[in-house]
Amino acid sequence: MKKLLLCCLSIGSLSLLLPCQSQARYYWEYLVQPDWQTDFNDVYALPGIGRAWAVGGRGIIARTTDEGVTWSAQTSGTTHNLHAVHFVDPDDGWTVGAGGTILGSGDGGDTWSSQVSGV
């Protein structure tokens, strides 16, 4: 029988208890909704305001505005795996992923648009 190893991730006032498969690499399965059935590859929380975003396989983006109590799906417009997410303020953020995918949002993640890398 497999034992599940849990890792605690604390970012600002947001604390998440997440399954991890190794000490160096974390996977967040079923973080938000069991029917999403994806691994989440990255999570980013803005300190002190209770907002965080998680990105993962098949272009899934999830957002919380209540310190992780509830999560909602956001439409990314891609099916590429997303690897990282970062917000500089409550409105402006970016996510990057497979196939050179770069998405930007200027409204807290309500909408996402494709970005050009310039390379």
Side-chain angles (χ1 to χ4, degrees):
M1 179 163 66
K2 285 185 178 180
K3 289 187 178 180
L4 179 64
L5 177 62
L6 296 175
C7 299
C8 183
L9 174 66
S10 294
I11 303 172
S13 62
L14 177 68
S15 294
L16 301 169
L17 191 59
L18 307 165
C20 58
Q21 294 180 351
S22 74
Q23 292 179 355
R25 190 165 177 170
Y26 300 102
Y27 292 91
W28 301 296
E29 277 189 57
Y30 313 118
L31 173 66
V32 186
Q33 301 279 341
D35 59 334
W36 289 7
Q37 297 180 8
T38 191
D39 289 334
F40 283 90
N41 299 316
D42 191 29
V43 63
Y44 183 79
L46 283 171
I49 65 167
R51 288 191 189 180
W53 296 262
V55 296
R58 301 184 336 269
I60 291 179
I61 302 174
R63 176 180 66 185
T64 182
T65 58
D66 58 9
E67 298 181 352
V69 174
T70 60
W71 291 83
S72 59
Q74 299 186 289
T75 303
S76 70
T78 186
T79 58
H80 288 188
N81 292 339
L82 298 174
H83 301 300
V85 62
H86 184 81
F87 272 74
V88 295
D89 59 43
D91 293 321
D92 302 305
W94 293 265
T95 182
V96 296
T101 302
I102 304 171
L103 304 174
S105 179
D107 57 12
D110 288 334
T111 60
W112 293 88
S113 58
S114 182
Q115 306 285 299
V116 178
S117 70
V119 177

